[in-house]
Structures are given as structure tokens and as C-alpha cells.
Amino acid sequence: MMDNSTTTVAFSFHPRGSLVRHAVFRSSQSETLQAFQRLLKKRRYADLRHMHFDWWMFPADMNSRRHEFIPRTQEDVDELKADPEWLSGYRCGVRIVAQAWGWDVDAASLLPDCEAHDQVWDGWDIRLVKILRSLWLFEQEDYFRSMYKFAAHLHHGVKRGRPFSYGAETYDVFSLRLPRRAHDDQCSLESACQPTD
């Protein structure tokens, strides 16, 4: 039974507005990656975790105040995926953010001595939700599986079985499966996922 004070959010397609030009994604990503790399070099993981970048670094078909960065069609997704420079930067962004949380996305495991280096989970659920949803949307299976494993680690550990949430909204990230277009029962860009109880 669901607590009346929370709402499970359905991932959905948002027809409002249009995707920003491809060049805007690339330039925003490039600027953010440069900032990431400067902070990474100095091991300033907390500063990295407090930056704002989710919208253009990990585009997802989720409601956002930055609606111009929401992919609305498969063509939007395909256009970005077809750009090797964008895709490389996208994956690099996932690696760096995961590293700031103490997770090695390539090895799908915790980094050694991560807490001693301030590479810790900051409790910002919505960011992990967006990354997972974006990896699912862009069908990056290896990184999706790794971050899914990280989410499961958090869910059973520090979250003690509580759902991922933002404010009063909760998100079911564990229903996502790849390949996404092979599962008729999953959400797509054109249809909303159903909330779970």
C-alpha cells in the first residue's frame, strides 16, 4: 500500500516545447566536462556533486524545468547517439559523476578507499534516477547495467529499502530493462510508464 504523502512518478513523454539544437547540447556538455575534469584533477568531488548539469549531460524523457533539453522522439535520441563526440562526452560524464559517488562504472564496483577520498553517495536520488533513465533511453547497456547495480547497492544499503525519491515523488528505476524497444510492457518515448504501488 502506498503512503498518501508520496506519489510514484510515471516516466512520460513530454510534448511541450522542442529539443534544443544539437550544437547547444554539445557546447553545454563540453563546458561541463571541462569543469568536471578540473575538479576531478583536484579531487574536489563534493564541488562536482553540487554542480548543476543533469539536463544536458544526461538527457531523459522526464519532466524538467529545463524542458528544452528533454528528448521527445526517437529521432531526438538517434540524432544525439549518432554524434560520436557527443556520445563519448556523455559516457565520460557518467564515469566522472559515478567516480564522485565512489563507483567505478567500467568495473561495476565500488572504488577502493572511496570514503577516505570523499567519493561518496550524497543522497541526491533524482540525479541517479536521471542518469539511469538517460542510459536506458540512449540504450547504453554496459553503463546502464553498472549504474543499475550501483542503485541496487544503495537501495539495499544506505537507503535500507526505501525508494528513490525527490520531494514527495518516488521513482521506480528497477522496472527499466534493456533492450528497451524489445519490451512491449515498458515505457517508451511515446507512452507513459504506469505508477507502481
Side-chain angles (χ1 to χ4, degrees), residues 38-55:
R38 282 192 303 273
L39 293 171
L40 192 63
K41 188 176 180 179
K42 296 176 182 178
R43 294 182 176 216
R44 291 174 49 194
Y45 302 111
D47 291 343
L48 191 150
R49 290 190 300 267
H50 290 109
M51 289 176 61
H52 293 282
F53 51 79
D54 305 16
W55 306 286

Side-chain angles (χ1 to χ4, degrees), residues 7 46 48-50 62 64 77 87 112-113 164:
T7 305
L48 191 150
R49 290 190 300 267
H50 290 109
M62 297 172 63
S64 169
V77 172
L87 190 58
D113 300 321
F164 290 94

Side-chain angles (χ1 to χ4, degrees), residues 53-70:
F53 51 79
D54 305 16
W55 306 286
W56 53 86
M57 292 303 289
F58 312 116
D61 56 339
M62 297 172 63
N63 196 10
S64 169
R65 63 186 167 115
R66 298 297 303 267
H67 58 86
E68 69 272 23
F69 289 105
I70 300 172

Side-chain angles (χ1 to χ4, degrees), residues 119-132:
Q119 294 167 282
V120 295
W121 171 245
D122 56 5
W124 204 340
D125 290 3
I126 192 64
R127 182 162 283 164
L128 179 57
V129 169
K130 287 179 183 179
I131 289 174
L132 278 164

Side-chain angles (χ1 to χ4, degrees), residues 185-197:
D185 61 336
Q186 281 204 338
C187 358
S188 69
L189 287 172
E190 292 78 26
S191 64
C193 287
Q194 298 302 310
T196 58
D197 293 329

Side-chain angles (χ1 to χ4, degrees), residues 62-104:
M62 297 172 63
N63 196 10
S64 169
R65 63 186 167 115
R66 298 297 303 267
H67 58 86
E68 69 272 23
F69 289 105
I70 300 172
R72 286 166 181 73
T73 65
Q74 186 60 48
E75 290 76 27
D76 289 342
V77 172
D78 291 343
E79 180 183 346
L80 290 169
K81 277 178 67 175
D83 178 346
E85 185 179 335
W86 181 87
L87 190 58
S88 175
Y90 172 76
R91 291 174 61 88
C92 182
V94 174
R95 277 192 307 276
I96 291 171
V97 172
Q99 186 176 348
W101 287 332
W103 187 255
D104 182 334

